[in-house]
Amino acid sequence: METPKPGSQAPAPATSPRAGRLAEWTRSPAALVTLAALGVRWAAPTIGLGLLLDDRMHRDFVQLHLMVGELQADAFDMFGIARNQSTGDVRMKAYVGLLPWWSSDDFSVSFLRPLAVATHYLDYGLWPELPWLMHVHNLLWYGAMLLLVGALYRRLLGPGVAALALLIFALDEAHVDGVAWLAGRNTVMTSVFIAATLLVHDRGCRGGLARAIWLSPLLLLLGFLSSEGAIATWAYLLPHAWLIDRRPVAERVNSLMPLAAVTLAWQMLYRGMGYGARGSELFVDPGASPLRFALALIERYPIVLQGQLGIPHLAGLVGMATALLVLGVVIGTVVSTARGVSPCAPEPGRPAAGRALAFLLVGMLLAAVPVCAVEVSPRLLFPVSIGACGLLGHGVVAGVGLVRAGTPGLRALGALTAVTVGLVHLAVPLLVAPLVPGQLRGIDERIAKSASTLPWDERVQGSVLAVLNAPNFFIASLELQDRVQKDGAVPRVAYLLGTSETPVKLSRPGPNHLMLEPVGGYLSERWATMVRAADDPFEKHDMRRLAGMLVGSDEVTPDGRPARILIAHHDRDGPIHWVIWNGERRRYELFELPPVGSEVLLTSGIPLR
């Protein structure tokens, strides 16, 4: 067989009638709608999940404001823990149990997402007792995203490759995770407007759509109103101007100016109103803490790409090896294009295959950067997937093309490309995605079960409840909130005094003094750093006043974490009931302090993941 010359198009082999009908179907609008419907159906089992984790807090927030009956200043501050706080604000919230005592004095994490919040007001205003309808609402946004992403793929890659790319996008198990959580609707909505902005902008640049000059900035604004994640739109706008838009440079720049104006105005408003993140290790604001964000980027960026190119829930060396193997798809795609075996035949109005692939690759790599501002989660991968799934879809078709028209070496590469992507991004999701709703439901049920063991009855009525140890700050906080939401505030105030995944030595040097010393020190449990960044180290005897006690660091580690904490307590503010997490029995229990001068070992056990 004669190998095509570089830069030439491989001769198309004869196709069967069935293949011809399939090709014709992919060109029809029905293909786009069918694949989008398939994606929605694939995520449909999430309808029965009900309210999960943060969803209950959001329900209480919205229903409280609906009961007031008038618009208040904080009516849209549903996403976040605290905004624009002073040192006094943080310490007062710690005193009443809304923040842990170790929170940074400048801690503030709050996000302005008014459009996303408005959809939750709609839910609780129209069908407050029907969570399944709220999940249908999520799925409608997801269906819109699939249609828009598919339309974008068609403009860039042609109908055949676009259909396969959209199928990969629709089956991605990470997307099921993103749709399942009502509190995560903002990420779905943002991705809808990212795809819409890119589609309209491309039609304005290459299709002569006159209204794109105002419509694309409007869509971008709606993206920012949904979440700050809309900044990922620029991960694709910039390479689009470089690789796809072939007009004179001045025209390309002019088309971006309205979008840049919207972005700048939004950022000024966002920061001027005190939104963003400060004093947190898990939430890192690139604008407020560029150095810490750079360090977080080094740590999190490979994990983001591993989650997108490999299997999101497969961690460690195996997960990274899978992602690196899939990265070979990109190499195979580039090689196939260079050999002239591109599946994207030149057509009027479509960019050259090499430029389209470079656009998707660069967009994917850039879109992964803002994701690193928060703790990595599969549900945040939607913007990254826009580039990745287009690239992977092309990789499968290009791999088949290499097998049919390449040299023996290229045939082997093409087979590896097609098989790898087929297994990791088509076969594995078919097995894993159906498990996601059950996994989320299981976590929620385990939290409810362990929360039910918290002593929350007449024994602790009106007293101070102090949890001495828990394995995970995030889970323990949800457990305390679960009891408040179900049974009301029976204790006067509840404190979480420390979290550690390792055993904690409790000693009692005096009748009114306790010391807690975990193996390895405190703040080694990752979620505990949500409220205190590593660049805010503790000093020895850094104490905080709570109801009935003073709590603080008695000894610190070389990197500034509490190695041992001291609790000086009294009963002038009412009785204190001490609670421990029994790691062996996996339950909370009331705890009687040991005799003065003695010590005991508290076991945390394995935390809920």
Side-chain angles (χ1 to χ4, degrees), residues 465-488:
L465 188 73
V467 180
L468 291 168
N469 70 311
N472 182 290
F473 169 68
F474 179 66
I475 298 297
S477 299
L478 290 175
E479 290 164 344
L480 288 169
Q481 291 161 6
D482 184 82
R483 288 314 300 264
V484 171
Q485 290 160 353
K486 290 180 178 178
D487 302 309

Side-chain angles (χ1 to χ4, degrees), residues 256-331:
L256 291 175
M257 293 306 292
L259 295 158
V262 166
T263 303
L264 180 61
W266 177 258
Q267 290 296 320
M268 292 175 63
L269 175 67
Y270 188 86
R271 299 190 182 282
M273 295 178 68
Y275 290 96
R278 298 195 313 269
S280 173
E281 193 69 18
L282 297 189
F283 299 94
V284 185
D285 191 326
S289 307
L291 179 58
R292 281 206 303 114
F293 178 71
L295 295 175
L297 190 66
I298 294 172
E299 175 190 358
R300 297 172 181 175
Y301 192 81
I303 302 174
V304 172
L305 291 185
Q306 171 189 323
Q308 180 57 69
L309 294 174
I311 303 173
H313 299 281
L314 187 60
L317 292 177
V318 176
M320 187 61 70
T322 304
L324 291 174
L325 182 60
V326 173
L327 194 59
V329 171
V330 177
I331 299 173

Side-chain angles (χ1 to χ4, degrees), residues 403-417:
V403 170
R404 299 172 69 182
T407 62
L410 289 177
R411 290 174 187 169
L413 179 58
L416 177 64
T417 297

Side-chain angles (χ1 to χ4, degrees), residues 15-270:
T15 58
S16 66
R18 180 177 299 178
R21 288 193 297 270
L22 179 61
E24 186 64 28
W25 177 78
T26 62
R27 293 178 179 275
S28 69
L32 195 60
V33 174
T34 300
L35 290 170
L38 174 65
V40 171
R41 175 61 185 86
W42 191 236
T46 61
I47 289 175
L49 285 177
L51 304 182
L52 300 171
L53 305 177
D54 287 7
D55 293 341
R56 297 185 184 89
M57 289 189 297
H58 291 172
R59 175 198 58 195
D60 294 346
F61 177 93
V62 171
Q63 290 184 336
L64 177 63
H65 283 81
L66 287 174
M67 288 174 58
V68 172
E70 60 182 33
L71 189 64
Q72 296 180 308
D74 66 342
F76 291 96
D77 285 353
M78 190 175 82
F79 291 96
I81 304 171
R83 173 165 66 97
N84 215 18
Q85 296 190 122
S86 66
T87 297
D89 294 331
V90 172
R91 298 202 177 192
M92 177 55 69
K93 289 189 175 183
Y95 185 86
V96 299
L98 295 178
L99 288 173
W101 67 268
W102 63 84
S103 302
S104 292
D105 283 338
D106 67 340
F107 171 74
S108 179
V109 173
S110 189
F111 306 109
L112 181 59
R113 302 166 179 174
L115 185 57
V117 174
T119 68
H120 293 280
Y121 276 99
L122 178 68
D123 283 344
Y124 289 107
L126 296 180
W127 38 78
E129 304 301 327
L130 300 174
W132 69 269
L133 272 179
M134 302 177 192
H135 283 285
V136 170
H137 190 169
N138 268 23
L139 290 172
L140 291 175
W141 282 105
Y142 184 49
M145 184 205 307
L146 292 169
L147 288 171
L148 290 165
V149 170
L152 182 64
Y153 285 158
R154 280 195 171 199
R155 288 190 61 82
L156 296 172
L157 302 172
V161 179
L164 182 56
L166 183 58
L167 178 63
I168 294 173
F169 192 100
L171 295 181
D172 195 325
E173 67 271 26
H175 298 171
V176 177
D177 192 304
V179 175
W181 196 24
L182 294 178
R185 181 184 297 161
N186 66 90
T187 62
V188 183
M189 294 176 60
T190 302
S191 300
V192 167
F193 293 117
I194 289 175
T197 301
L198 296 174
L199 184 60
V200 171
H201 180 70
D202 182 65
R203 290 190 62 188
C205 295
R206 299 192 301 117
L209 183 65
R211 61 178 179 271
I213 193 67
W214 60 264
L215 184 54
S216 57
L218 175 61
L219 290 167
L220 180 59
L221 176 60
L222 293 173
F224 280 118
L225 288 169
S226 300
S227 86
E228 63 288 344
I231 195 68
T233 312
W234 285 96
Y236 294 96
L237 288 172
L238 294 178
H240 184 279
W242 170 36
L243 295 162
I244 304 299
D245 190 352
R246 307 315 298 157
R247 297 177 300 170
V249 173
E251 292 185 31
R252 303 184 213 178
V253 173
N254 288 339
S255 68
L256 291 175
M257 293 306 292
L259 295 158
V262 166
T263 303
L264 180 61
W266 177 258
Q267 290 296 320
M268 292 175 63
L269 175 67
Y270 188 86

Side-chain angles (χ1 to χ4, degrees), residues 377-459:
S377 171
R379 64 184 176 83
L380 301 176
L381 294 177
F382 288 119
V384 186
S385 296
I386 293 175
C389 293
L391 204 61
L392 294 169
H394 187 285
V396 173
V397 179
V400 173
L402 282 175
V403 170
R404 299 172 69 182
T407 62
L410 289 177
R411 290 174 187 169
L413 179 58
L416 177 64
T417 297
V419 170
T420 300
V421 178
L423 285 175
V424 175
H425 291 278
L426 290 174
V428 169
L430 290 174
L431 299 175
V432 176
L435 304 178
V436 172
Q439 292 171 345
L440 293 174
R441 183 184 292 108
I443 292 174
D444 195 63
E445 290 173 350
R446 290 196 296 273
I447 290 174
K449 181 179 179 180
S450 57
S452 68
T453 67
L454 280 163
W456 214 269
D457 50 34
E458 64 278 358
R459 292 174 297 173

